[in-house]
Amino acid sequence: KEQEKEAGANLIKAFDKETGITESNPDYKDVKVAFKVTEPNTSDRILINTAEISEDSNKDGNPVVDEDSTPGNDKDGEDDIDIEKVKVKYFDLALYKWVNTTFVTENGKTKEYASNHTQDDKSNLVNVTIPKNELDKTVVKFKYQIKVENQGNLAGYAKELKDHIPAGLKFIEEDNKEYGWKLQEDGTITTDYLKDTLLQPKETAEVTVVLTWINGENNLGEKWNFAEISKDYNDYGAPDKDSTPNNFKNEVKEDDEDKDVVMLNVRTGSMNVIYFTIGACVIAILAVGVVGIKKYIMD
């Protein structure tokens, strides 16, 4: 037995010397495989990839018995199988828009009225009521707040924002120089003010836009204003998780789009009074509820 043991050891030494393969220096081959990452179906967004040896043989192609593993049995704990976990990050920019302030100018005097709107609460209607005999003399401007928020876990940019001006309101470039809004051929306005602002996850950035009412007795009622992210970017080329930039079609459907509404009404009678109304109220026939109104009277 001692001679057999010695002979076996000599064979191993000879093999090691000839091949250079030892327990401390095993032979190996690398194989690479590429996969396209899809949306994970797990709450932790972790993808688990498993690989194993499914068949083995000797150099002549004959089956061999692995010392501690069985090929192709998908059994965890054996050394012919291994896993790799990848946590998938995602890109997601969201946009919020709301009326911030209304400016009403009459007889050369301008008064400002805060809307009390926030990005999450626009339940109070912004309603401007103008005396009929002052329709042509009264200037009404609305300032809208636009916020971009990075809701994903990849940093990125909102390279361009677009505002869809409603019929009955107009864009005056002089009122919008700070954020570089420009009128486009299709009647929309755009700004690239945030193009160099890198938004890390959970960070936000804001701009404002001012639109002016076009005076006229036939230009009253609701004015819905929409805005969207029209261009975005991140270093990984990852698309937004749940939105497509610049695809707004008449109604808010994605979280990179948002809207707010104002109302203009005419007041009959001889009193030279303007009411700027903020209250939970009925908007045409769209909602039913109790009307709650605060009135602000201009002298």
Side-chain angles (χ1 to χ4, degrees), residues 50 52 68-82:
T50 305
E52 69 172 325
D68 53 13
S69 306
T70 301
N73 68 342
D74 194 25
K75 186 177 180 180
D76 188 26
E78 297 184 346
D79 67 356
D80 68 342
I81 189 169
D82 200 7

Side-chain angles (χ1 to χ4, degrees), residues 5 24 35 97 119 140-141 153 168-169 180 207 215 223 233 242 262 275 283-284 298:
K5 185 176 180 180
S24 60
F35 296 99
K97 176 174 189 155
Q119 68 179 49
V140 181
K141 296 177 182 286
N153 43 38
L169 300 185
V207 302
N215 297 62
K223 309 296 179 186
Y233 174 82
D242 51 16
V262 296
Y275 292 86
I283 303 175
M298 293 185 63

Side-chain angles (χ1 to χ4, degrees), residues 67-127:
E67 179 181 60
D68 53 13
S69 306
T70 301
N73 68 342
D74 194 25
K75 186 177 180 180
D76 188 26
E78 297 184 346
D79 67 356
D80 68 342
I81 189 169
D82 200 7
I83 66 171
E84 183 69 17
K85 296 181 179 180
V86 177
K87 185 164 186 175
V88 180
K89 294 185 176 183
Y90 62 94
F91 182 57
D92 185 14
L93 297 183
L95 180 143
Y96 303 93
K97 176 174 189 155
W98 66 97
V99 180
N100 179 298
T101 310
T102 297
F103 305 90
V104 181
T105 302
E106 183 190 25
N107 298 325
K109 296 181 180 180
T110 300
K111 291 192 175 182
E112 299 182 16
Y113 302 95
S115 71
N116 292 335
H117 282 197
T118 67
Q119 68 179 49
D120 300 315
D121 184 3
K122 308 171 193 176
S123 58
N124 296 328
L125 178 65
V126 176
N127 182 19

Side-chain angles (χ1 to χ4, degrees), residues 131-144:
K132 187 174 183 179
N133 62 344
E134 298 291 335
L135 281 175
D136 295 335
K137 304 174 185 178
T138 303
V139 178
V140 181
K141 296 177 182 286
F142 300 101
K143 182 169 77 172
Y144 299 86

Side-chain angles (χ1 to χ4, degrees), residues 9 34-35 50 57 69-70 95 99 113 131-132 152 159 181 183 206 224 255 266 269 271-272 275-276 279 281:
F35 296 99
T50 305
S57 66
S69 306
T70 301
L95 180 143
V99 180
Y113 302 95
K132 187 174 183 179
K159 287 290 186 179
W181 289 95
L183 184 63
E206 298 185 28
W224 287 93
D255 71 354
V266 63
M271 290 182 62
N272 187 20
Y275 292 86
F276 177 79
C281 57

Side-chain angles (χ1 to χ4, degrees), residues 75-258:
K75 186 177 180 180
D76 188 26
E78 297 184 346
D79 67 356
D80 68 342
I81 189 169
D82 200 7
I83 66 171
E84 183 69 17
K85 296 181 179 180
V86 177
K87 185 164 186 175
V88 180
K89 294 185 176 183
Y90 62 94
F91 182 57
D92 185 14
L93 297 183
L95 180 143
Y96 303 93
K97 176 174 189 155
W98 66 97
V99 180
N100 179 298
T101 310
T102 297
F103 305 90
V104 181
T105 302
E106 183 190 25
N107 298 325
K109 296 181 180 180
T110 300
K111 291 192 175 182
E112 299 182 16
Y113 302 95
S115 71
N116 292 335
H117 282 197
T118 67
Q119 68 179 49
D120 300 315
D121 184 3
K122 308 171 193 176
S123 58
N124 296 328
L125 178 65
V126 176
N127 182 19
V128 180
T129 305
I130 307 167
K132 187 174 183 179
N133 62 344
E134 298 291 335
L135 281 175
D136 295 335
K137 304 174 185 178
T138 303
V139 178
V140 181
K141 296 177 182 286
F142 300 101
K143 182 169 77 172
Y144 299 86
Q145 200 80 16
I146 298 175
K147 177 192 284 188
V148 177
E149 179 181 13
N150 187 344
Q151 296 183 340
N153 43 38
L154 288 176
Y157 302 83
K159 287 290 186 179
E160 183 184 83
L161 305 179
K162 179 180 289 188
D163 190 277
H164 298 260
I165 303 173
L169 300 185
K170 63 182 177 181
F171 169 76
I172 299 176
E173 189 169 342
E174 190 70 20
D175 294 334
N176 293 279
K177 285 188 173 181
E178 181 179 359
Y179 295 103
W181 289 95
K182 297 295 182 183
L183 184 63
Q184 305 302 316
E185 292 182 359
D186 62 359
T188 63
I189 54 174
T190 61
T191 179
D192 63 358
Y193 184 81
L194 300 179
K195 64 182 175 65
D196 297 321
T197 301
L198 178 62
L199 292 176
Q200 298 291 344
K202 298 184 180 180
E203 286 187 342
T204 64
E206 298 185 28
V207 302
T208 62
V209 60
V210 176
L211 300 178
T212 302
W213 175 58
I214 301 172
N215 297 62
E217 187 173 356
N218 296 321
N219 184 27
L220 301 169
E222 297 176 4
K223 309 296 179 186
W224 287 93
N225 184 224
F226 299 86
E228 66 175 322
I229 298 172
S230 46
K231 293 180 183 178
D232 64 18
Y233 174 82
N234 62 80
D235 289 340
Y236 302 92
D240 192 288
K241 176 177 176 285
D242 51 16
S243 306
T244 301
N246 202 36
N247 71 334
F248 174 75
K249 299 294 182 184
N250 302 318
E251 189 52 73
V252 172
K253 294 183 178 179
E254 298 176 346
D255 71 354
D256 68 342
E257 307 165 344
D258 202 9

